Amino acid sequence: MASLAVQVAGSETLEVPAILPVLPVRDVVVFPGVTMPLAIGRPRSLAALEEAGQDGYMLVVAQRDPLTENPGLQELHEVGTIVRVMRIIDARREGKQALVVGLARAVMTRTVAWEPTLRVQVHPLTEPEALTPSLEAAWRRVVMLAQRVIELRDDMPDEWKTFFQGIPSPGLLADLIASNIAMSPRDRIRLLAEADPETRLGLVERHLEKEVTIAETQRTLAGETGGETDPRRRERMLRQRMREIQKEIGETDAGAREIDELRERLDASDLPEEAEALAQRELKRLSSLPQHAPDRHLIRTYLDWLLELPWSKQTEDHLDLAEARTILDADHHGLAQVKDRILEFLAVRKLAPDAQAPILCFVGPPGVGKTSLGRSIARCMGRQFTRASLGGVRDEAEIRGHRRTYVGSMPGRILQSLKRAGSRNPVFLLDEIDKVGSDFRGDPSSALLEVLDPEQNKSFSDHYIEAPFDLSRVLFIATANTLSTIPPALLDRMEVIELSGYTEQEKLAIAEKYLVPRQIEAHGLKPEQVSVERAALDKMISEYTREAGVRNLERHVATLMRKSARKIAEHRDALIHVGAADVSEALGAPPHLPETAEASSIPGVAVGLAVTAHGGDILFIEAAANPGGQGIRLRLTGQLGDVMRESAEAALSWVRAHAKELGLSDAALAPREIHLHVPAGAVPKDGPSAGVALVTALVSLLSDRSARSNVAMTGEISLRGRVLPVGGIKGKLLAAQRAGIDTVVIPRRNEKDLAEVPKEVRDALGIHLVDTIDEALALTLSDAQPIVAPTAA
């Protein structure tokens, strides 16, 4: 095998093979004349070591990218070091360790083999042997600087002064010093690639000057801060001076800058004691990790969350009741009782700022202004507003956060929303709290119990943050469409405020005051370009929408504005006037026609009143008789719940028991199947409030007398003939007015609920209060004769 004569560090010459196995290393540089241990574990590296053997030779070359697992020739630096393997130690499962000594610099000229390891032909770099005056001067300056560093550094023995002074060549001096001082891998590789000893001494000289500056400053700081008693303050002072030194000497370490930035933010923050201890612990872990460690990003993200949460930031309440009333009236039309309750709440906050605030729950159909009321409360108090939508949430971790052991973990929605608000005392809206679900991942409503309990939320624990956060200053407001799906324990923590819906007059006022101006602006129009008649708005409200809120109404207004914008953009009309006739042209045929007319002359049909998640509504109870069979049988259809089925059975039992008083013939009670159906079969229906309507439909069918189509009724019945109170009276009466009903029958014990019904609705409807079924039948059946039925007192 061909060999090369290589001049090793000093003056000795050795014969080494011209073709050598290559040992790639990560961020390590072996200089000639330096003995160094190397840990070897990769298969190709082990193959190179095995080929060289003990007392053999290899070429050690640094990788360009430390993360490359099996580097090829292009992934290695051009210049490496020819080394001799002095000793091989078997580290069992961790590979092997080799003690090598650097001999000479060498360049790879060509590849000889790839497997089982990379083998290349090498060419050694020769150094100039002439000792010029400039080289000798540089040699002396480096020796002096090295001795000065040794004097200032406590970790370097004084014997090194003599050692460095006795090194026989300037090139060897540069290599030995470079291997013993702090130097980046890039600078070490640059120094290895340089064959001229004078240039190498110049590079080493600059690093030694930095070392002298740092060492002298450290001694000065140690004297200045010797009497400092606070260790943290002393540490901050030292780090600040170190940053100034590094900036002055041009050192740029991205990892160190990141740690310093985080430490500055931590010092400036006002974290609670437990959170600060966690931050200090994680910051210490981060500073000990390498720049490319996979955990570094996770720790940095966690620290960012800790530092960005508003642990101590809060806004000051502004509680002016007159201004609050003005804001509420400007943002919402009507809702007098709701506004009064909000003003009462603000008054209590003004007189007792430290009192526990109640958790309000706005319950009502969609589109009545529940969410916007939360925003108005925030404006009244001068607080930040934040919102978390809970609709469809089924994982407890959405509330409490994910533990940091999971990939992609993050805090729950509570702390996320507080971070966005930037304050620890915002108005926090928990939207759609009635639509929280549960499955195998946990029950989010159970986690909300802690959030909404003033006795527990002072130390709310998020699984990701792991430090207690004080939620007692947050003003929580919840919204829901119905109370039936909210767990009782959660409902018990909230004060319910019901928003039933708007009358047609209120909708008209809302459209004129809010919806039309808002849509004009949203479509790039000007108020003087478009005008909408009240008749057009009336037509949209009565024939194109049948809802408790105003969302569909606003959509129809937006449709009119789009068509108006198109006409103006096409320069067909400079001014647009929207009348009642234009509504049908723009929106098409009305989807809502009067439903009461179809039941005007059909026996067995009664109009009932119901309350749904979308507000009040009317429903028809239809009864039909099919002769045959044994006895009277009852068949129920229309997705009726158990309670409503039981009401139908009670109604039939009462009718059969009082058939004589009702004037029913024997033929009417002949064996037959009575079929009761409630239309809109795709919609589930339940509850006892249809009892009066069920009795009316049965008596109408069996007596062959039609029920009055302009009369709607509600009320639970008993077998004694009593009419019992029900809920949702306001929503039901609003629905009756929307549907064109002019007379309603309600239980007498619901008279107290009429105070919540707007006056214009009470004036528009003939409201009859009844105690017994016979009183109700006298009002609901056409040509009904007074019925004398034995009813309980």
Side-chain angles (χ1 to χ4, degrees):
M1 180 181 294
S3 61
L4 296 171
V6 176
Q7 184 178 2
V8 300
S11 57
E12 182 183 359
T13 301
L14 288 178
E15 293 288 331
V16 300
I19 298 174
L20 294 174
V22 176
L23 178 67
V25 291
R26 297 183 174 101
D27 290 339
V28 174
V29 176
V30 180
F31 287 101
V34 176
T35 302
M36 180 179 293
L38 298 176
I40 302 170
R42 290 181 285 186
R44 292 172 64 87
S45 300
L46 290 171
L49 180 63
E50 184 177 353
E51 180 177 337
Q54 190 157 324
D55 293 329
Y57 300 94
M58 295 188 299
L59 182 69
V60 176
V61 186
Q63 297 178 195
R64 295 183 185 275
D65 184 0
L67 300 179
T68 304
E69 186 63 26
N70 293 306
L73 194 62
Q74 300 300 322
E75 286 84 19
L76 300 175
H77 289 280
E78 293 82 359
V79 180
T81 305
I82 300 174
V83 301
R84 182 175 183 179
V85 181
M86 305 298 294
R87 186 178 179 185
I88 299 176
I89 302 172
D90 190 355
R92 298 183 182 275
R93 295 182 181 178
E94 299 180 1
K96 295 183 179 181
Q97 291 186 351
L99 186 65
V100 300
V101 59
L103 301 179
R105 292 170 170 79
V107 179
M108 296 180 288
T109 57
R110 69 182 181 89
T111 302
V112 177
W114 286 98
E115 297 296 339
T117 186
L118 179 62
R119 300 173 70 242
V120 297
Q121 186 172 0
V122 300
H123 177 71
L125 295 178
T126 58
E127 296 184 5
E129 296 184 359
L131 185 62
T132 62
S134 60
L135 175 60
E136 186 173 1
W139 188 358
R140 291 181 179 179
R141 285 198 305 273
V142 169
V143 170
M144 291 175 59
L145 286 172
Q147 290 177 340
R148 178 59 180 163
V149 171
I150 294 169
E151 290 176 358
L152 295 171
R153 296 274 295 270
D154 296 332
D155 57 340
M156 293 183 177
D158 290 339
E159 290 78 5
W160 282 15
K161 294 182 182 180
T162 307
F163 171 73
F164 284 127
Q165 193 168 7
I167 293 175
S169 69
L172 179 59
L173 174 67
D175 293 341
L176 290 175
I177 292 177
S179 64
N180 285 280
I181 63 174
M183 191 178 292
S184 67
R186 174 183 290 184
D187 289 341
R188 292 180 187 274
I189 292 169
R190 180 184 173 191
L191 196 66
L192 181 68
E194 182 58 57
D196 181 26
E198 186 173 350
T199 305
R200 297 209 303 274
L201 285 173
L203 293 172
V204 171
E205 181 181 351
R206 286 196 289 273
H207 280 85
L208 285 174
E209 288 174 347
K210 293 181 183 179
E211 290 291 328
V212 170
T213 303
I214 293 172
E216 288 178 344
T217 305
Q218 286 177 335
R219 285 212 168 186
T220 302
L221 289 175
E224 291 179 357
T225 61
E228 186 63 60
T229 57
D230 186 356
R232 291 190 57 190
R233 183 177 176 186
R234 181 173 183 271
E235 181 183 357
R236 285 198 299 269
M237 186 184 300
L238 291 173
R239 291 186 183 280
Q240 178 65 27
R241 301 294 281 276
M242 285 293 293
R243 285 193 292 271
E244 294 174 358
I245 295 169
Q246 290 171 347
K247 183 178 180 180
E248 183 178 345
I249 62 180
E251 285 191 355
T252 56
D253 185 350
R257 286 201 308 272
E258 181 183 33
I259 299 297
D260 290 341
E261 175 194 343
L262 288 172
R263 185 170 281 111
E264 287 178 359
R265 290 172 58 191
L266 179 58
D267 292 339
S269 65
D270 188 14
L271 298 183
E273 183 177 347
E274 190 169 344
E276 185 173 5
L278 284 171
Q280 294 286 359
R281 184 190 71 188
E282 294 301 317
L283 186 60
K284 186 176 180 181
R285 283 186 58 201
L286 182 65
S287 61
S288 65
L289 290 176
Q291 183 69 23
H292 300 286
D295 287 347
R296 193 177 182 92
H297 171 69
L298 302 178
I299 297 175
R300 173 61 194 261
T301 303
Y302 175 73
L303 286 171
D304 284 338
W305 271 105
L306 270 180
L307 295 172
E308 290 174 7
L309 284 174
W311 298 93
S312 56
K313 298 177 184 176
Q314 67 180 42
T315 56
E316 186 174 348
D317 287 348
H318 174 68
L319 300 173
D320 186 331
L321 296 186
E323 183 179 347
R325 166 63 78 177
T326 302
I327 292 173
L328 291 173
D329 289 339
D331 292 349
H332 298 86
H333 180 82
L335 304 177
Q337 291 184 339
V338 177
K339 292 177 181 177
D340 287 342
R341 179 63 188 89
I342 293 173
L343 290 173
E344 291 166 4
F345 162 74
L346 297 178
V348 173
R349 293 289 297 178
K350 184 175 184 179
L351 298 177
D354 297 328
Q356 291 181 351
I359 295 162
L360 306 179
C361 180
F362 297 140
V363 180
V368 296
K370 299 184 296 296
T371 302
S372 57
L373 273 172
R375 296 183 185 275
S376 297
I377 292 174
R379 287 182 59 199
C380 294
M381 301 183 68
R383 291 192 180 190
Q384 297 293 326
F385 176 81
T386 187
R387 170 182 170 272
S389 178
L390 303 180
V393 172
R394 294 181 174 272
D395 189 355
E396 180 190 1
E398 293 280 348
I399 306 298
R400 288 188 178 276
H402 301 79
R403 298 191 184 277
R404 294 171 58 200
T405 53
Y406 297 106
V407 176
S409 59
M410 60 192 307
R413 298 194 182 194
I414 302 298
L415 293 191
Q416 288 184 40
S417 300
L418 290 177
K419 176 189 171 185
R420 288 195 299 270
S423 168
R424 68 170 180 169
N425 66 335
V427 173
F428 197 130
L429 186 75
L430 299 170
D431 214 1
E432 310 291 356
I433 198 171
D434 58 324
K435 297 176 179 59
V436 174
S438 63
D439 59 13
F440 64 93
R441 292 169 291 185
D443 186 0
S445 60
S446 299
L448 286 173
L449 293 177
E450 179 185 358
V451 175
L452 300 180
D453 191 340
E455 299 298 328
Q456 300 182 50
N457 63 12
K458 294 179 181 178
S459 57
F460 172 70
S461 177
D462 187 278
H463 290 158
Y464 181 83
I465 297 298
E466 297 178 335
F469 193 96
D470 184 6
L471 298 179
S472 62
R473 299 176 183 272
V474 179
L475 175 57
F476 287 104
I477 298 175
T479 69
N481 296 131
T482 178
L483 298 177
S484 59
T485 57
I486 302 178
L490 188 59
L491 187 60
D492 184 60
R493 286 164 166 77
M494 300 184 292
E495 179 181 339
V496 176
I497 299 177
E498 293 190 1
L499 291 79
S500 299
Y502 297 112
T503 65
E504 292 190 0
Q505 290 76 14
E506 288 175 332
K507 289 182 181 180
L508 180 61
I510 291 171
E512 290 179 330
K513 187 175 180 181
Y514 301 100
L515 305 186
V516 172
R518 185 160 62 201
Q519 291 302 322
I520 287 176
E521 181 181 357
H523 289 81
L525 302 172
K526 297 178 180 178
E528 59 268 18
Q529 291 179 309
V530 181
S531 62
V532 182
E533 287 184 356
R534 297 196 69 176
L537 295 175
D538 274 330
K539 188 177 182 66
M540 282 192 291
I541 292 170
S542 60
E543 298 182 14
Y544 288 86
T545 64
R546 183 166 292 176
E547 57 177 345
V550 292
R551 283 185 182 162
N552 284 330
L553 177 58
E554 185 168 14
R555 292 189 186 101
H556 291 318
V557 172
T559 302
L560 294 178
M561 294 303 108
R562 286 198 303 271
K563 295 184 181 297
S564 301
R566 178 181 175 183
K567 292 180 181 179
I568 292 175
E570 292 175 350
H571 304 289
R572 291 193 300 184
D573 296 288
L575 298 175
I576 303 296
H577 182 75
V578 180
D582 300 316
V583 173
S584 298
E585 179 183 349
L587 303 180
H592 300 293
L593 297 176
E595 294 181 316
T596 55
E598 66 183 60
S600 59
S601 60
I602 303 174
V605 178
V607 183
L609 295 171
V611 173
T612 69
H614 301 284
D617 202 356
I618 66 168
L619 53 85
F620 293 100
I621 310 292
E622 299 178 349
N626 300 315
Q630 297 179 353
I632 296 180
R633 302 185 314 278
L634 195 61
R635 183 182 178 194
L636 303 171
T637 57
Q639 276 212 67
L640 307 185
D642 292 339
V643 176
M644 196 167 182
R645 287 176 175 272
E646 292 174 356
S647 294
E649 293 174 359
L652 180 60
S653 296
W654 186 89
V655 172
R656 293 178 65 183
H658 300 87
K660 184 177 180 181
E661 293 84 353
L662 293 171
L664 301 180
S665 64
D666 293 338
L669 299 175
R672 64 180 64 191
E673 179 189 71
I674 296 179
H675 186 175
L676 283 174
H677 177 69
V678 183
V683 180
K685 309 165 192 71
D686 203 0
S689 64
V692 173
L694 288 167
V695 169
T696 301
L698 288 172
V699 174
S700 172
L701 173 71
L702 297 177
S703 65
D704 199 26
R705 289 181 292 173
S706 62
R708 292 190 175 100
S709 61
N710 63 333
V711 178
M713 61 212 75
T714 184
E716 182 181 356
I717 62 169
S718 72
L719 291 177
R720 298 181 300 160
R722 304 286 296 182
V723 177
L724 306 178
V726 293
I729 292 297
K730 179 181 178 182
K732 292 175 179 178
L733 296 190
L734 291 175
Q737 187 205 29
R738 285 197 301 268
I741 301 291
D742 56 28
T743 304
V744 293
V745 177
I746 65 173
R748 185 174 299 277
R749 290 167 64 181
N750 282 118
E751 184 177 8
K752 63 184 187 304
D753 299 315
L754 294 178
E756 300 178 1
V757 180
K759 184 177 184 302
E760 61 266 23
V761 176
R762 297 198 305 268
D763 294 341
L765 295 174
I767 303 174
H768 296 271
L769 306 173
V770 297
D771 288 311
T772 61
I773 296 176
D774 56 326
E775 293 177 10
L777 291 176
L779 295 166
T780 58
L781 292 177
S782 299
D783 301 322
Q785 300 297 323
I787 301 171
V788 181
T791 56

